[in-house]
C-alpha cells in the first residue's frame, strides 16, 4: 500500500549527476514547479530525489502509486477510536502542510481519483482539497511535487493524459554514459575500477539489442547489485547471472543466450 | 470456406514433405547439437551482432550470409557435450561479430581465393571479440587447438584443397595467410581444378557475400553473358556449392516443379529441370531466396545464364483474383514496402466475411471442447474475476477510505450494550472498472494445419479462443473475434466470427467450422482489425493476435518485407492507441514476434497445451490495468 518514507534527511545519499539534472532540480524547487522524472526502472530517479531532498534540507515524503492506491490513502481518512471518529492526515496532506518534497513513484499507475486530488497542487493554486474532511490546505512554502514515470514499461497501457503531463517540468533520465556509469558503480559499491568497467561493458551490450524483446533494458541498479554480490564473495559469473540475467527474463532460452555473453565477459 | 485446387495440391505436398522430413543428424554422444541450443544461440548472436540476426543450421561448417548465421549442425571437437556447447558459443560469437563488423565497412572479397577472405574476415571478428570480451581470447586459444587436432594433415590432400587446408591451419595458429600474395595467385590459378575440397573451419565458417550485393551486380549488368558475372551470382548463396549439369534434352522440355506451390520460393534441387526463361528480377526475390537452403546450383550447358538466376526469374502469373470478388465488398489497404521505404497505396484488398452459421457440427465441437476443459474454464474465470475484484464499494472492512456508517451505528449500539468489539467499520472502494474493447485476430492459414506435439495448431488456437470467449462472455466484456487468411494481396479474407454486439453463444459453432486455408498476410488483417477496434467506443483497446507469427503470402509477402509491414501496421495501431499483443506456439515465432511486436508484447509458448491458459491470462492482465 502506501509507503510513507518520511525522512528528515541527514547524511547526503550518494548521487552522481549524469546530465545536469541536479541543477535543474534545484531551479524547479526554487520556482515551485512540479517535476516529472521519466526513465526506465533503476536509472536513479528515486536516488536523485533522496539526494536532492537532503541537499535542499527538506523533508521527503515518498508514496508509491498503484491501482489500489485511493485518494483517501493519500489525503487521509476518518478513524473510529473508542466511539469517536477522528481525522487522520494521509501522507500527501502531511507533505503539503509541512512544505516537504512529495515524491510520487510510478505516477502513471495512479487512479483517476488520485490524479484529481493532485491536479490543484500542480498549478498556481498549490492547494489540496480534502473533500472528506471538508478542508482546503494551502501548500506551505517549500512544498515540491515530484513524480516519476517509466515510459517504456508495458507500453500503451500506462500513459499519462496530456492534461496531466503538461503540468510538469519533465526530466528525462536514461542509462548514463559508460564513463559515468563506471564512476557510479565505484562510488556506490566501492568495487574496483576493472570490475566496474567490465560490468558496464556487459550492460552496454545488453542494452544494444532492442529486438530481443526484453521487457526492460538492464539498469544501473542491476549492475550495482551484481557488483555488490561480487564484493560479498559471490563468483563473478554467478553474480551476473543472479543479479542481471535472471532479473531480465524468465524465458529459459533467452536467459541461456544471455549467460553465453556473461561467460565471455566474466 | 472453399479450398483452391492449388492449395489442395500444396497440402498434399506438405504432408508428403513431412513424411520425408530430414531426421536429426547422427552424432556421437559427446557432441552438442545445434537444434538443442538454437534459440539460446540466436539470443546470444543478436547481442553480439546488435541486430536481429538468425541462427540456422548449415550442412557443414556454414558461415555468414547477410543476417543469417549458418552454424554446423553438430560440434564434437571437445570431449563432452558441455564443452562442445561452449564451442558453439565461440563460433556464434565469431560469426555474429563478423556480421557486425561488416556493417561498419563491407569486407573486401578475394575472387578466386574467397577462402582466404573468409579467414581474414573471421580474424578481424576474433580480434574485435578479444577487445570486447575479456574472457574470449583464453577460451579461443583452447578451441583453436581442438580444431587443429581434428583437422586432416594437409599432406593427405591434393592440389587446391591442400593449399586451402594449409592456409586454414595457419590461420588457426594465428598466421595471416591472406597476406601471402603468392598463395592468392596459386589459389586463383587452381580455381577450376577443384578436387575434393578441404572441409570448412568449424570455428570460423565462411563468408558468403550478401545477396543484395550480388543482386545489384546482376541487376545492373546489361549482359549476363560473361562467366565472371555468373560466378558472382552463384558464389554467395551457397554453402559448399556443388554443380549439377543439366542435360540439354531435359532442358528443352523443362518441367515446372512447383508451379502450384509458392511460385517464387526456391527449393532444394532434387532432380528435374525448371523453366529457365525469364527476365531478371533477383532483387524482388531476395526475400524468398533468404528462406531457402540452396543446396545445389543448377547450371545449364550454355554459360550465359546460371540456373540460379533463371530459377529466381520464374515469373509465372500470380493468379490475380481481382475479378473473382465483387469489388464493392473489398476494402483497400496500403502496404509498407520496406525496401522503398514508402507505402504501396491500396495494395491489398480485404474482404470481410460475416459468418452466419450457428450450431451444427461446429456446435458439437464447441460442446466437446468445453466439456474437456471444464476445470480450466472455471479456474480461468475465477482468476479473471479476481483480477477485476472489488469493482464496488466493499462494506465492513478493517480498514478503508470511508467510515461504514451502518457498521458504525451498529458498533455504537453494541458498545452501549457492552459487547461492541467488531472493528470492521470501514468501506473500501476499489479500482473503477476500465472500459475496454478487445479484438482477437486468429490466423487460420494453411500453416495452422501443421502439428505440434501431436496437436493441430489450429485446434490449439481455436480452443484457446473458445475459452477466452466463454470467460469474457461471463464477465460481460466486449469482445470481437476475427479470423484471417490470405490468397495474395488481392484477396485477404477476414471472417467475422463474433462482432462486439453479437451474443457469444452464436459464435461458438463458427469457431468449430474453421478450416485451414490460404496464407498469412498479417499486415492487412491487423489494419482491418484496427479499423474495427477504432470504431468501437472504449477507453482502452486491445488487439490479440494468435498466429504462427510468420508473415507469408503467395505473392512474396515474407521475410524482412513481411515483418516490416506488420511492424508498420502495428505502429499505425499504436498511433490510434490500440495496444497489440501476440501469442504463438511455434518456436520460429521467436525470430519474428520480437522485432514485430517489440518489448514485452509477445509470448511464445513452450508447448501447445499452454496456449489456452496463456491467452486468457494475458487478456486478464492487459484488461485489468
Ligand atoms: N546517477 C546515479 N548516482 C548514484 N547511484 C545511481 C545513479 N543511477 C543509478 N544509481 C544506482 O541505481 C540504483 C537504482 O536507482 P533508483 O532506485 O533511484 O532507480 P529508480 O529510477 O527510482 O527505479 P524505479 O523506477 O524502479 O523506482 C540506486 O540504488 C543506485 O545504486
Ligand atoms: Mg524508484
Amino acid at each position: 500500500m502506501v509507503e510513507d518514507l518520511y525522512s528528515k534527511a541527514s547524511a547526503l545519499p550518494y548521487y552522481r549527476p549524469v546530465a545536469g539534472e541536479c541543477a535543474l532540480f534545484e531551479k524547479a524547487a526554487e520556482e515551485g514547479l512540479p517535476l516529472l522524472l521519466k526513465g526506465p526502472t533503476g536509472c536513479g530517479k528515486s536516488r536523485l530525489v533522496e539526494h536532492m531532498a537532503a541537499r535542499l534540507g527538506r523533508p521527503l515524503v515518498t508514496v508509491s502509486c498503484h491501482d489500489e492506491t485511493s485518494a483517501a490513502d493519500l489525503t487521509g481518512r476518518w478513524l473510529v477510536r473508542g466511539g469517536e471518529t477522528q481525522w487522520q492526515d494521509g501522507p500527501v496532506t502531511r507533505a503539503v502542510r509541512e512544505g516537504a518534497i512529495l515524491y510520487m513513484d510510478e505516477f502513471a499507475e495512479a487512479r483517476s481519483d488520485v490524479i484529481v486530488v493532485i491536479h490543484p497542487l500542480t498549478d498556481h493554486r498549490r492547494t489540496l482539497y480534502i473533500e472528506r474532511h471538508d478542508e482546503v490546505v494551502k501548500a506551505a512554502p517549500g512544498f515540491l511535487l515530484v513524480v516519476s514515470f517509466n515510459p517504456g514499461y508495458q507500453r500503451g497501457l500506462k500513459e499519462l493524459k496530456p492534461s496531466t503531463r503538461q503540468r510538469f517540468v519533465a526530466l528525462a533520465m536514461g542509462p548514463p554514459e559508460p564513463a559515468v556509469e563506471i564512476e557510479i558503480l565505484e562510488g556506490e559499491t566501492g568495487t574496483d575500477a576493472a570490475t566496474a568497467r567490465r560490468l558496464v561493458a556487459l550492460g552496454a551490450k545488453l542494452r544494444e539489442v532492442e529486438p530481443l524483446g526484453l521487457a526492460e533494458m538492464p539498469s544501473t541498479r542491476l549492475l550495482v547489485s551484481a557488483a555488490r554480490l561480487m564484493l560479498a564473495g559471490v563468483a563473478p559469473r554467478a553474480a551476473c547471472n543472479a543479479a542481471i540475467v535472471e532479473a531480465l527474463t524468465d524465458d529459459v532460452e533467452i536467459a541461456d543466450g544471455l549467460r553465453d555473453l556473461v561467460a565471455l565477459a566474466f | 470456406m472453399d479450398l483452391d485446387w492449388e492449395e489442395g495440391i500444396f497440402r498434399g505436398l506438405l504432408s508428403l514433405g513431412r513424411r520425408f522430413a530430414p531426421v536429426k543428424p547422427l552424432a556421437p554422444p559427446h557432441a552438442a547439437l545445434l537444434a538443442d541450443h538454437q534459440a539460446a544461440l540466436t539470443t546470444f548472436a543478436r547481442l553480439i551482432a546488435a541486430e536481429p540476426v538468425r541462427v540456422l543450421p548449415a550442412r557443414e561448417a556454414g558461415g555468414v550470409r547477410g543476417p543469417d548465421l549458418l552454424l554446423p549442425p553438430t560440434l564434437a571437437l571437445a570431449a563432452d557435450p558441455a564443452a562442445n556447447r561452449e564451442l558453439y558459443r565461440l563460433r556464434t560469437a565469431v560469426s555474429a561479430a563478423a556480421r557486425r563488423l561488416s556493417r561498419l565497412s563491407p569486407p573486401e572479397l578475394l575472387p578466386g581465393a574467397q577462402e582466404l577472405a573468409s579467414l581474414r574476415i573471421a580474424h578481424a571478428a576474433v580480434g574485435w571479440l578479444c577487445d570486447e570480451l575479456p574472457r574470449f581470447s583464453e577460451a579461443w586459444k583452447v578451441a583453436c587447438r581442438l580444431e587443429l587436432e581434428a583437422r586432416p594433415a594437409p599432406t593427405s590432400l591434393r592440389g587446391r584443397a591442400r593449399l586451402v587446408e594449409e592456409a586454414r591451419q595457419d590461420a588457426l595458429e594465428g598466421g595471416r595467410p591472406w597476406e601471402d600474395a603468392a598463395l592468392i595467385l596459386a589459389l586463383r590459378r587452381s580455381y577450376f581444378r577443384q578436387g575434393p575440397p578441404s572441409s570448412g573451419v568449424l570455428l570460423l565458417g565462411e563468408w558468403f557475400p550478401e545477396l543484395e550485393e550480388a543482386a545489384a551486380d546482376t541487376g545492373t549488368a546489361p549482359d549476363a553473358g560473361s562467366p565472371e558475372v555468373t560466378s558472382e551470382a552463384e558464389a554467395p548463396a551457397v554453402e559448399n556449392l556443388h554443380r549439377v549439369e543439366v542435360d540439354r534434352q531435359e532442358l528443352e522440355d523443362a518441367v515446372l516443379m512447383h508451379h502450384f506451390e509458392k511460385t517464387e520460393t526456391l527449393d532444394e534441387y532434387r532432380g528435374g529441370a525448371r523453366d529457365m526463361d525469364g527476365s531478371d528480377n533477383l532483387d524482388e526475390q531476395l526475400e524468398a531466396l533468404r528462406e531457402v537452403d540452396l543446396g545445389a546450383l543448377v547450371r545449364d550447358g550454355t554459360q550465359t545464364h546460371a540456373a540460379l538466376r533463371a530459377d529466381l526469374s520464374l515469373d509465372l502469373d500470380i493468379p490475380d483474383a481481382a475479378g473473382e470478388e465483387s469489388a464493392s465488398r473489398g476494402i483497400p489497404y496500403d502496404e509498407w514496402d520496406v525496401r522503398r521505404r514508402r507505402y504501396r497505396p491500396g495494395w491489398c484488398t480485404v474482404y470481410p466475411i460475416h459468418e452466419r452459421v450457428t450450431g451444427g457440427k461446429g456446435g458439437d465441437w464447441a460442446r466437446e471442447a468445453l466439456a474437456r476443459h471444464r476445470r480450466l474454464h472455471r479456474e480461468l474465470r475465477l482468476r479473471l474475476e479476481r483480477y477485476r475484484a472489488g469493482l464496488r464499494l466493499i462494506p465492513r472492512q478493517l480498514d478503508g477510505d470511508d467510515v461504514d456508517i451502518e457498521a458504525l451505528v451498529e458498533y455504537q449500539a453494541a458498545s452501549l450494550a457492552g459487547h461492541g468489539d467488531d472493528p470492521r467499520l470501514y468501506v473500501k472502494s476499489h479500482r473503477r472498472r476500465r472500459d475496454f474493447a478487445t479484438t482477437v485476430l486468429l490466423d487460420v492459414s494453411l500453416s495452422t494445419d501443421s502439428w505440434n506435439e501431436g496437436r493441430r495448431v489450429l485446434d490449439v488456437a481455436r480452443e484457446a479462443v473458445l475459452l477466452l470467449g466463454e470467460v469474457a462472455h461471463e464477465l460481460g466484456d466486449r469482445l470481437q473475434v476475427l479470423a484471417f487468411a490470405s490468397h495474395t494481396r488481392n484477396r485477404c479474407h477476414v471472417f467475422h466470427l463474433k462482432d462486439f454486439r453479437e451474443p457469444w453463444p452464436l459464435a461458438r459453432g463458427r469457431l468449430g467450422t474453421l478450416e485451414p486455408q490460404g496464407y498469412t498476410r498479417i499486415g492487412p488483417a491487423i489494419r482491418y482489425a484496427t479499423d474495427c477496434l477504432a470504431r468501437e467506443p472504449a477507453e482502452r483497446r486491445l488487439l490479440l493476435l494468435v498466429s504462427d507469427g510468420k508473415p507469408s503470402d503467395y505473392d512474396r509477402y515474407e521475410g524482412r518485407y513481411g515483418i516490416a509491414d506488420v511492424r508498420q501496421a502495428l505502429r499505425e495501431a499504436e498511433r490510434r492507441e490500440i495496444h497489440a499483443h501476440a501469442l504463438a506456439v511455434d518456436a520460429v515465432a521467436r525470430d519474428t514476434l520480437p522485432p514485430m511486436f517489440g518489448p514485452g508484447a509477445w509470448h511464445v509458448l513452450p508447448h501447445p497445451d499452454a496456449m489456452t491458459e496463456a491467452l486468457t491470462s494475458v487478456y486478464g492482465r492487459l484488461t485489468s490495468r
Side-chain angles (χ1 to χ4, degrees), chain B residues 141 281 283 374 423 444 602 625:
Chain B
K141 278 190 207 110
N281 51 0
D283 175 47
R374 196 172 301 127
V444 294
W602 55 274
R625 283 179 186 145

Side-chain angles (χ1 to χ4, degrees), chain A residues 67-68 70 72-73 76-80 82-83 85 111-112 132 154-158 198 205-206 208-215 237 251 253-254 256-261 263-266, chain B residues 39-41 43-44 46-48 50 52 85 89-90 100 128 132-136 399-403 408 412 425-426 429-432 540 574 579 590 594 597 599-602 622 624-625:
Chain A
D67 51 10
E68 299 282 339
S70 69
D73 289 331
R77 54 167 55 102
W78 290 103
L79 295 180
V80 182
T85 53
R111 300 196 313 199
S112 49
R132 279 160 225 281
Q154 284 154 351
R155 200 168 39 123
L157 288 164
K158 304 186 176 190
R198 278 190 191 188
K205 287 230 162 39
L206 291 168
E208 222 168 350
V209 186
E210 194 212 349
L212 276 188
L214 297 173
R237 255 184 223 182
D251 186 299
E253 276 154 344
I254 289 182
D256 218 12
L258 300 184
R259 275 192 291 271
D260 273 312
L261 186 67
L264 292 178
F266 280 95
Chain B
L41 292 172
T43 297
F44 175 55
R46 288 173 181 188
L47 289 164
I48 298 289
R85 167 67 177 79
R89 173 189 300 155
L90 300 178
R100 180 184 184 127
W128 184 84
E132 292 283 319
L133 297 168
R135 290 267 171 264
F136 184 84
D399 156 43
D401 304 333
D402 273 313
V403 175
L408 184 60
Q412 294 284 32
L425 302 174
Y426 301 93
S429 87
H430 269 266
R431 90 192 82 148
R432 117 198 117 83
R540 285 173 187 277
E574 205 173 307
H579 178 74
R590 259 171 217 293
F597 282 78
W602 55 274
L622 293 178
S624 302
R625 283 179 186 145

Side-chain angles (χ1 to χ4, degrees), chain A residues 45-47 103 105 148 221:
Chain A
K45 300 184 291 292
S46 302
R47 181 57 68 85
Y103 179 45
D105 219 349
S148 81
R221 172 189 289 139

